[in-house]
Amino acid sequence: MDASAPLLELDPLREPLSSGALQQALDRLDSVGTVLYVAAHPDDENTRLLAWLAGARGLRSVYVSLTRGDGGQNLIGQELGPLLGLIRTHELLAARRIDGAEQRFTRAVDFGYSKSADETLRLWGKDAILGDLVRVIREVRPDLIITRFSPEPPNHGHHMASAILAREAFDAAADPARFPEQLTPKTGLTPWATPRLLENKSPWRFKEGEDLSRYLSLDVGTYSPLLGRSYAELAAASRTMHKSQGFGSAPAYGPQLEYFEETATRVAPSKDPLATVTSAWSRFPGTAPLQAALTTLRTTFSPAQPERSLPAALAVRKALLALPSDPTQPVATYRLQKLAELDRLLLSLAGLYLDVRAPSPTAIAGEPLAVTATLLARQAPATLTSITWPDGQTDTTSAPLPSRPGTLVKREAKLRLPASTPWSTPRWLRKPRTVDHALFDLESAVAIHPVGPPDLAASITLDLGSDPSARLTVSVPLRYGWVDPVHGERFRPVEVLPPLTVTPRAPIAMFPLSASPRTVTIEATVTAHGGAREALIALEPPSAETSWPAAWKVSAPQKVTLKEDGAEATVSFTVTLPATPRTSPPPFASAVLGLRATLGTTPIETLARRVIEPSHIPTTTLLSPATVRAIPLRLDLGTNTRTPKGHPPRIGYIAGAGDEVAQSLAAVGYEIVNLDPATLDRQDLSSLTAIVAGIRSYNVTPALEHQHAALMRYVEGGGTYLVQYLTSNRQRPLGDVAIGPFPFTVDQGRVTDETATMTLLDPKHPAVTTPNPLDKDDFAGWVQERGLYFASTWDKGLTPIFEANDPGEKPLQGAVLVARHGKGAFVYTGLSFFRQLPEGVPGAYRLFANLLALGAAR
């Protein structure tokens, strides 16, 4: 391979190119313009515009999402926080595979809804994120930058901040005095003056009858005969990949106008939004031979016999390699980009199939690993020159790959990964955040790229012709495949894991404080990786202690025997705390307990493993220290005429869009009964102290609205029915759906300041006194927000319990509404218990217990 030619990273998740897609890819080689699109979150991007720019105009389209979406909600599972950010990162990449754009990020963490750009920039650390965005601009070198949002309120603070940062980065990227540490020979970055900055106007902000002629516009609904659909149709498929956010989209047909407003420019004004995007190679001197080669390639392409274009495509590659490779020259950016595009195209023209597999989805550093590479040329002959395996070994045995008929060539190897091989975990989550800013702890140059190269890959070098320029090297990810009886053949990346993982059932354990000794059980799943394992698992004392406090009783370490790769066992440890009278302070504030594994006589780094495997994105692993955070909790569950003495209260739970509230309640002593919402009217609910509807349950479970009569009968008989937050939107308008005994409406009201004062409207109300008397300390330590989707109007039969507001805003009273109905009680709450309980916030548990106990108390 030419030393200045890039390594092609094969993405096995991309669909093979049809003849129409091949033609489009050939046309795109002739275009060198770049557009950078800037917004705040996954799903903020205008997929319709990105798809049209990449497909219809052949431009390099890059979306930079400042965050990975960690602070949102999840419609398809219980993952929140970093795990949700991991899902949304891969949803963005799945969307880009469809619409043809590229993806970038910054180090900013989505910390939840913000009402001001000032708060957002303060929590992110403005200079750090501005520097990341400047780096993206200097690396991508766009001809045009487009923002999704305006910097003006009202809007999400993250949205406004993205526009503010884009406008500042537009100037800063061109200034060599700004972020000069980026401008080194090693990075190859230089100042970059983007000619123009536009704002993509949001249609939902247009007023009825507004004259839109003052804006610039583009019709992005054009049809592609090569693809057999319009770019608006393609964009709907792309947008639908944001499944965790419920963004399934129907395609739009016919003309689709996008509107723009110029916000900054270094050139003369123009009515053409793309006036600054010069897409012809002639913008760069010395490219005439390349232009001639591209013309020959386009004119010789035959959809029925694409392999006949291989010589012309190799001539284009030779011309590209002849261009300057000095990264400080603008043409070098397109040289690298077009070589990568062309090499993918060459694989398709030759009909090359490249695959590297292992018989197991896991690899263990220092232990044997069998791998098999399979190669097949189906359209044109090639020669296998060498394979460099994931452990660094190189097989230089060459082999011809004849195409008539295609012949499978296999290479097998026994590998042993170096002991220093890093574990498989997302690189932006390898280090915990240790600063006050909502900022991932990794280098900016690494952070701006989505996920990095695969953990394990083989580099396969091929000759597609006799000229040295016809040699290319392809990085092929190591993967594991199996056959699913429903979905057919499926794949997942081979991951580098420790010999075993120890994953706590919950990362937080609430330690009850009581006048008598209380015992807490901590469970974990031990999983073998790479083969059979025998280990001793121990629960270690708090991280600040060398031994357990004398008054605590802790069960002994446990031996586990796992007979094969993937085998699992459950270990349980009990911790008994001494009596803590109500007048005594807690024996500890919070503590981190460690789970530690010993293989033989050797202690190993013990990690917990969370596997993310929704069907629409690749299976991904998150590894983290195997720890449990112990939090003391003084909690009275109360008594109820429905609960026999000596038995815990029984709580019926109706699953919603995905939360861990039921598990959290079970962990502090409630008995949880999962309810089928479709059959509530046929179930005996009389033994339940309370029924809880999970978050957005009415939005995702249409059957629930037909169970109103059954639920109200339950409340009349003395039960408590507690509904967590819901929304009313275009996809699922609730309208006149009856939820409680009295009508109320929900809107966008929320309090995003998690430290906001919670004023008790009636300090004697049972919701704040019984069975747990609440005070201001119960509202300390909340995370991300107080709540969201508060009630805005309500019948006089409903009583608000709290008043709260964000700084500078009017107080809101719709966070918790309570109504007496018959012998029981109805509760609607927008307080974010779905965040607070899994995070172990003691006051949230105490308040929730009070709300559950509002029914027929004993």
Side-chain angles (χ1 to χ4, degrees):
M1 183 182 71
D2 186 302
S4 60
L7 175 73
L8 173 64
E9 292 187 359
L10 188 67
D11 182 356
L13 297 178
R14 285 190 181 274
E15 290 292 328
L17 295 178
S18 65
S19 289
L22 275 173
Q23 177 69 69
Q24 189 180 60
L26 287 173
D27 294 340
R28 190 170 175 174
L29 289 174
D30 212 14
S31 178
V32 288
T34 298
V35 178
L36 180 67
Y37 198 89
V38 182
H41 309 107
D43 75 38
D44 283 346
E45 77 273 24
N46 186 336
T47 54
R48 192 166 64 182
L49 178 60
L50 291 173
W52 183 84
L53 290 169
R57 298 298 293 264
L59 301 174
R60 184 187 188 194
S61 305
V62 182
Y63 173 48
V64 55
S65 174
L66 299 189
T67 76
R68 295 177 184 263
D70 327 64
Q73 284 87 52
N74 184 0
L75 194 67
I76 62 173
Q78 297 180 344
E79 297 87 359
L80 294 173
L83 293 175
L84 178 58
L86 182 56
I87 290 173
R88 297 184 73 183
T89 293
H90 282 283
E91 288 181 336
L92 275 172
L93 295 178
R96 298 296 80 83
R97 290 186 189 100
I98 294 172
D99 60 38
E102 299 177 29
Q103 187 62 50
R104 296 290 188 275
F105 292 98
T106 74
R107 288 172 289 172
V109 172
D110 179 357
F111 56 85
Y113 194 90
S114 173
K115 293 181 178 177
S116 78
D118 287 344
E119 178 196 46
T120 297
L121 295 172
R122 173 175 55 81
L123 291 176
W124 280 349
K126 179 182 177 182
D127 284 350
I129 306 307
L130 177 61
D132 290 351
L133 190 52
V134 166
R135 183 183 290 273
V136 170
I137 293 171
R138 287 171 172 172
E139 181 184 282
V140 172
R141 295 172 173 171
D143 301 296
L144 173 66
I145 298 175
I146 303 176
T147 61
R148 166 81 277 189
F149 301 107
S150 162
E152 301 301 324
N155 207 331
H156 192 322
H158 298 182
H159 294 171
M160 294 184 286
S162 72
I164 292 169
L165 290 169
R167 294 186 183 193
E168 292 194 25
F170 178 81
D171 292 324
D175 185 351
R178 301 294 303 276
F179 306 101
E181 70 280 2
Q182 298 177 2
L183 309 174
T184 67
K186 182 179 179 181
T187 66
L189 299 181
T190 62
W192 184 257
T194 304
R196 200 180 194 192
L197 177 67
L198 302 179
E199 179 191 323
N200 185 193
K201 305 304 290 186
S202 301
W204 55 86
R205 295 214 169 203
F206 293 150
K207 298 176 182 177
E208 186 175 354
E210 181 179 349
D211 180 10
L212 303 179
S213 62
R214 63 192 180 97
Y215 298 120
L216 313 178
S217 65
L218 290 169
D219 179 7
V220 299
T222 54
Y223 176 77
S224 170
L226 295 175
L227 302 180
R229 53 181 172 172
S230 71
Y231 292 103
E233 293 173 74
L234 189 70
S238 171
R239 191 156 186 75
T240 296
M241 297 313 296
H242 294 295
K243 297 182 188 299
S244 68
Q245 304 307 295
F247 272 78
S249 301
Y253 299 95
Q256 303 294 321
L257 292 179
E258 291 290 342
Y259 294 93
F260 307 88
E261 185 173 29
E262 186 174 84
T263 53
T265 185
R266 295 185 169 96
V267 298
S270 171
K271 286 290 186 180
D272 179 6
L274 302 181
T276 59
V277 184
T278 304
S279 60
W281 277 103
S282 57
R283 66 190 280 190
F284 301 115
T287 58
L290 172 61
Q291 295 174 57
L294 285 166
T295 299
T296 302
L297 175 58
R298 288 197 308 275
T299 57
T300 61
F301 178 70
S302 168
Q305 296 176 305
E307 73 279 4
R308 290 191 174 185
S309 296
L310 197 59
L314 290 172
V316 172
R317 192 173 198 271
K318 186 172 184 177
L320 278 169
L321 288 170
L323 295 179
S325 58
D326 179 358
T328 62
Q329 297 192 39
V331 71
T333 299
Y334 289 106
R335 176 185 178 275
L336 288 175
Q337 177 202 346
K338 296 304 175 182
L339 277 169
E341 291 180 14
L342 179 61
D343 285 356
R344 292 189 190 97
L345 189 61
L346 288 168
L347 296 182
S348 294
L349 292 174
L352 278 166
Y353 170 78
L354 307 177
D355 186 34
V356 182
R357 297 196 196 185
S360 167
T362 59
I364 311 300
E367 296 187 1
L369 173 65
V371 295
T372 301
T374 303
L375 303 91
L376 174 65
R378 293 170 286 198
Q379 291 290 105
T383 301
L384 169 63
T385 302
S386 66
I387 300 178
T388 299
W389 301 104
D391 66 347
Q393 296 182 51
T394 299
D395 180 349
T396 58
T397 306
S398 63
L401 301 175
S403 62
R404 294 288 187 267
T407 302
L408 278 175
V409 172
K410 289 183 178 286
R411 288 285 187 271
E412 296 181 348
K414 297 287 187 181
L415 313 182
R416 193 177 294 271
L417 300 177
S420 59
T421 305
W423 312 127
S424 294
T425 204
R427 54 187 183 172
W428 69 93
L429 296 175
R430 288 185 182 276
K431 297 180 182 178
R433 298 201 307 273
T434 57
V435 296
D436 293 334
H437 296 314
L439 191 74
F440 288 117
D441 185 9
L442 73 168
E443 294 180 2
S444 174
V446 174
I448 64 174
H449 294 279
V451 293
D455 295 316
L456 299 172
S459 294
I460 299 177
T461 300
L462 301 162
D463 284 339
L464 300 182
S466 58
D467 191 272
S469 63
R471 174 169 290 186
L472 62 152
T473 299
V474 185
S475 175
V476 182
L478 180 62
R479 58 182 182 166
Y480 168 75
W482 75 100
V483 177
D484 183 284
V486 175
H487 300 287
E489 189 174 31
R490 299 191 65 187
F491 300 97
R492 59 184 294 176
V494 174
E495 299 172 315
V496 183
L497 299 177
L500 58 79
T501 50
V502 183
T503 306
R505 173 170 291 184
I508 288 174
M510 307 305 294
F511 276 56
L513 305 180
S514 173
S516 58
R518 296 289 296 272
T519 298
V520 176
T521 299
I522 295 176
E523 292 188 348
T525 299
V526 185
T527 306
H529 303 296
R533 309 290 178 191
E534 284 194 358
L536 190 68
I537 313 297
L539 181 67
E540 293 193 335
S543 54
E545 308 289 339
T546 56
S547 60
W548 289 99
W552 294 30
K553 296 180 180 179
V554 184
S555 55
Q558 298 180 33
K559 183 178 180 179
V560 294
T561 300
L562 305 168
K563 296 183 178 180
E564 61 185 355
D565 179 28
E568 294 184 346
T570 299
V571 292
S572 295
F573 298 94
T574 57
V575 180
T576 302
L577 273 65
T580 309
R582 185 175 292 276
T583 56
S584 300
F588 64 99
S590 69
V592 177
L593 311 180
L595 288 156
R596 294 292 176 263
T598 301
L599 285 177
T601 59
T602 305
I604 64 169
E605 181 181 3
T606 311
L607 300 174
R609 181 186 184 220
R610 290 291 301 270
V611 180
I612 309 299
E613 45 189 349
S615 60
H616 64 300
I617 60 175
T619 300
T620 306
T621 284
L622 175 63
L623 296 174
S624 58
T627 59
V628 174
R629 186 155 60 96
I631 299 175
L633 171 66
R634 195 178 296 280
L635 179 69
D636 187 341
L637 303 186
T639 58
N640 191 286
T641 56
R642 292 165 171 258
T643 305
K645 288 186 178 181
H647 291 266
R650 302 182 79 226
I651 308 298
Y653 205 85
I654 301 170
D659 60 61
E660 296 181 343
V661 171
Q663 297 94 313
S664 300
L665 295 177
V668 295
Y670 289 99
E671 180 184 345
I672 301 299
V673 179
N674 293 313
L675 298 178
D676 177 3
T679 61
L680 288 175
D681 55 352
R682 301 194 297 275
Q683 297 182 49
D684 180 6
L685 308 176
S686 61
S687 67
L688 301 176
T689 299
I691 295 175
V692 178
I695 60 173
R696 293 194 285 184
S697 53
Y698 280 84
N699 300 106
V700 300
T701 311
L704 194 54
E705 66 184 78
H706 303 297
Q707 297 292 338
H708 181 254
L711 288 165
M712 292 305 100
R713 285 196 300 271
Y714 164 76
V715 173
E716 289 171 359
T720 299
Y721 180 41
L722 187 154
V723 176
Q724 297 180 80
Y725 89 86
L726 50 85
T727 66
S728 183
N729 51 44
R730 288 174 295 176
Q731 287 78 24
R732 178 77 173 115
L734 294 179
D736 297 328
V737 173
I739 297 171
F742 306 103
F744 63 97
T745 58
V746 174
D747 66 9
Q748 302 294 313
R750 63 179 73 204
V751 174
T752 63
D753 181 357
E754 66 272 25
T755 67
T757 299
M758 299 292 289
T759 301
L760 308 183
L761 296 176
D762 178 3
K764 296 182 180 180
H765 195 285
V768 296
T769 62
T770 310
N772 300 285
L774 304 185
D775 58 30
K776 62 180 179 62
D777 291 341
D778 288 297
F779 299 97
W782 285 48
V783 298
Q784 185 161 316
E785 63 204 356
R786 287 297 190 199
L788 65 172
Y789 298 107
F790 290 178
S792 56
T793 62
W794 51 86
D795 184 270
K796 63 181 180 181
L798 290 152
T799 301
I801 304 300
F802 299 103
E803 183 174 84
N805 59 277
D806 280 317
E809 296 189 354
K810 67 178 183 180
L812 301 177
Q813 296 185 353
V816 178
L817 300 180
V818 173
R820 299 299 308 180
H821 186 59
K823 297 179 181 179
F826 168 80
V827 180
Y828 173 76
T829 179
L831 294 180
S832 60
F833 290 108
F834 72 100
R835 296 193 193 280
Q836 313 309 323
L837 300 187
E839 285 294 322
V841 178
Y845 275 96
R846 289 161 53 81
L847 173 57
F848 206 84
N850 287 1
L851 297 175
L852 295 178
L854 285 173
R858 191 182 300 278

